[in-house]
Amino acid sequence: MNHEPVETTTNTFLPKVSVVIPIYNGEPDLPELLCCLSAQTYPKHQVEYLLVDNNSGDRTFALLQQGSENTQITIRPKSENHIQSSYAARNVGIRAATGEILAFTDADCRPEPEWLNALIAPFVNQDIVLVAGEILALPGKTLLEQHAERQETLSQKHTLAHPFCPYGQTANLAIRRQALQQVGLFRPYLTSGGDADMCWRILQQKIGRLEFAPNAIVKHRHRATLKELESQWRRYGRSNRYLHELHGVDLMRDITLSESFYLLGRWLLKELPKDSVKALAGKGSLVDLVSTPIGLYTARARAAGQTEAKLPENAKIIERL
């Protein structure tokens, strides 16, 4: 896998692109999302946006229909109301897509104007079948958001360095349609880990290579409350359990209570006083003061998610084009 930007003349390589975005209760996100899609510099006649409502309880689908009638870009509203899963919703979009390249992001992401140009450019090389763009943080106000930004929690650099096999997150990923025709679609009943599963199935069949496009940027808002943070990291734990059962990925080692007490004690007695002095002297920040307890909190949540999860039998189903 090459992590260097690809040099190419984008005005001579302009394949038809289908952007697929699953949406669940996305009413608050739609205005900004549609604004970001309208601002894309990729030629408008070469891209369609398939926005798939996944059984929302708000006005998402009505707003999608309204938005498709009042814009200069091609928006095709779709719905998946039978299976509550973002992967099932993405499959609906894929089946309706007409593009040579399928690009994916999420409703709560904010693609930069050059996102599609940079994400599609590497496909000029025919041996590239997957391209992952970078995911950066939207400005955060809470300590939890600032901590996650400091840790680059959502960055693709973590998934691209996965010890089992690299993969890109569907918040910023593009796939050549040919690869989907060969390996099938997302597992529709899987609720987490489907992006890794898809990338690994493609790479394991040696259809082509995965490329990183660091200039293809979407921005994402980090979790602002402890409840949201716990839910996020429990989902990461469930994902690892599912991938363990599907691909044999190693389970993550749990942090024991004794280890947790030791780390908290060291934080209270050594790190907190030291970082407090730095913060008072203007050489540190409040984020430094809470880094250790937040890290322990997320680690415990991830371990709980991994312990509690069990892959449903129907999650093994792979749909086909």
Side-chain angles (χ1 to χ4, degrees), residues 100-161:
E100 173 188 343
I101 307 296
L102 282 296
F104 300 91
T105 189
D106 294 325
D108 55 356
C109 289
R110 302 292 174 259
E112 295 283 278
E114 289 290 329
W115 170 59
L116 272 182
N117 268 332
L119 190 66
I120 302 305
F123 287 104
V124 70
N125 297 322
Q126 288 299 311
D127 64 333
I128 292 174
V129 294
L130 290 160
V131 177
E134 182 59 293
I135 305 170
L136 302 180
L138 287 165
K141 298 179 180 179
T142 70
L143 285 176
L144 295 180
E145 291 173 304
Q146 293 167 12
H147 169 79
E149 183 176 359
R150 177 82 62 85
Q151 299 296 316
E152 298 180 297
T153 298
L154 297 171
S155 174
Q156 299 275 35
K157 72 179 186 180
H158 302 298
T159 57
L160 291 170

Side-chain angles (χ1 to χ4, degrees), residues 196-236:
D197 172 69
M198 171 62 77
C199 291
W200 293 348
R201 281 157 46 203
I202 292 172
L203 294 173
Q204 286 166 357
Q205 289 199 23
K206 301 188 184 302
I207 298 170
R209 296 191 294 114
L210 166 63
E211 184 81 20
F212 178 44
N215 296 323
I217 295 170
V218 303
K219 293 187 176 180
H220 192 288
R221 186 168 287 105
H222 286 297
R223 275 57 171 182
T225 68
L226 283 174
K227 182 179 179 180
E228 292 173 335
L229 190 68
E230 180 182 15
S231 176
Q232 176 188 20
W233 284 86
R234 278 181 177 265
R235 179 169 56 82
Y236 290 163

Side-chain angles (χ1 to χ4, degrees), residues 240-260:
N240 204 65
R241 169 67 68 175
Y242 298 156
L243 294 172
H244 170 74
E245 296 191 31
L246 290 170
H247 293 275
V249 173
D250 289 339
L251 292 175
M252 293 171 286
R253 189 181 71 84
D254 190 8
I255 296 180
T256 65
L257 279 176
S258 60
E259 287 176 307
S260 297

Side-chain angles (χ1 to χ4, degrees), residues 4-303:
E4 296 299 321
V6 171
E7 296 293 334
T8 184
T9 307
T10 56
N11 62 352
T12 61
F13 177 70
L14 298 169
K16 179 68 179 292
V17 178
S18 299
V19 178
V20 177
I21 306 176
I23 307 175
Y24 175 69
N25 289 344
E27 188 173 343
D29 286 308
L30 281 178
E32 284 188 56
L33 174 65
L34 294 178
C35 183
C36 290
L37 300 182
S38 297
Q40 290 301 303
T41 58
Y42 200 84
K44 289 179 171 54
H45 67 281
Q46 283 296 92
V47 58
E48 61 180 356
Y49 298 91
L50 297 108
L51 277 60
V52 187
D53 174 51
N54 191 201
N55 199 30
S56 296
D58 60 7
R59 297 175 58 243
T60 290
F61 192 70
L63 292 175
L64 289 178
Q65 291 179 309
Q66 179 183 330
S68 68
E69 298 168 357
N70 300 290
T71 182
Q72 295 183 337
I73 60 176
T74 301
I75 295 178
R76 300 176 58 196
K78 299 292 176 181
S79 61
E80 166 53 79
N81 297 326
H82 302 292
I83 305 173
Q84 196 68 56
S85 163
S86 63
Y87 302 116
R90 290 184 183 98
N91 286 350
V92 168
I94 293 169
R95 285 200 173 93
T98 61
E100 173 188 343
I101 307 296
L102 282 296
F104 300 91
T105 189
D106 294 325
D108 55 356
C109 289
R110 302 292 174 259
E112 295 283 278
E114 289 290 329
W115 170 59
L116 272 182
N117 268 332
L119 190 66
I120 302 305
F123 287 104
V124 70
N125 297 322
Q126 288 299 311
D127 64 333
I128 292 174
V129 294
L130 290 160
V131 177
E134 182 59 293
I135 305 170
L136 302 180
L138 287 165
K141 298 179 180 179
T142 70
L143 285 176
L144 295 180
E145 291 173 304
Q146 293 167 12
H147 169 79
E149 183 176 359
R150 177 82 62 85
Q151 299 296 316
E152 298 180 297
T153 298
L154 297 171
S155 174
Q156 299 275 35
K157 72 179 186 180
H158 302 298
T159 57
L160 291 170
H162 195 283
F164 179 81
C165 185
Y167 71 93
Q169 301 167 80
T170 44
N172 194 355
L173 182 69
I175 305 175
R176 198 182 292 275
R177 186 181 185 86
Q178 170 196 347
L180 296 172
Q181 290 171 333
Q182 291 186 238
V183 306
L185 306 183
F186 291 100
R187 298 179 194 264
Y189 292 96
L190 198 61
T191 56
S192 185
D195 40 14
D197 172 69
M198 171 62 77
C199 291
W200 293 348
R201 281 157 46 203
I202 292 172
L203 294 173
Q204 286 166 357
Q205 289 199 23
K206 301 188 184 302
I207 298 170
R209 296 191 294 114
L210 166 63
E211 184 81 20
F212 178 44
N215 296 323
I217 295 170
V218 303
K219 293 187 176 180
H220 192 288
R221 186 168 287 105
H222 286 297
R223 275 57 171 182
T225 68
L226 283 174
K227 182 179 179 180
E228 292 173 335
L229 190 68
E230 180 182 15
S231 176
Q232 176 188 20
W233 284 86
R234 278 181 177 265
R235 179 169 56 82
Y236 290 163
R238 292 196 302 272
S239 173
N240 204 65
R241 169 67 68 175
Y242 298 156
L243 294 172
H244 170 74
E245 296 191 31
L246 290 170
H247 293 275
V249 173
D250 289 339
L251 292 175
M252 293 171 286
R253 189 181 71 84
D254 190 8
I255 296 180
T256 65
L257 279 176
S258 60
E259 287 176 307
S260 297
F261 284 130
Y262 169 77
L263 291 171
L264 280 174
R266 189 181 67 179
W267 172 69
L268 282 169
L269 298 173
K270 295 185 64 176
E271 296 173 13
L272 187 59
K274 178 181 175 182
D275 291 335
S276 296
V277 171
K278 286 185 177 180
L280 290 171
K283 298 180 180 180
S285 70
L286 290 176
V287 179
D288 298 318
L289 301 182
V290 296
S291 179
T292 293
I294 292 176
L296 282 171
Y297 185 81
T298 57
R300 298 290 295 175
R302 183 178 63 183

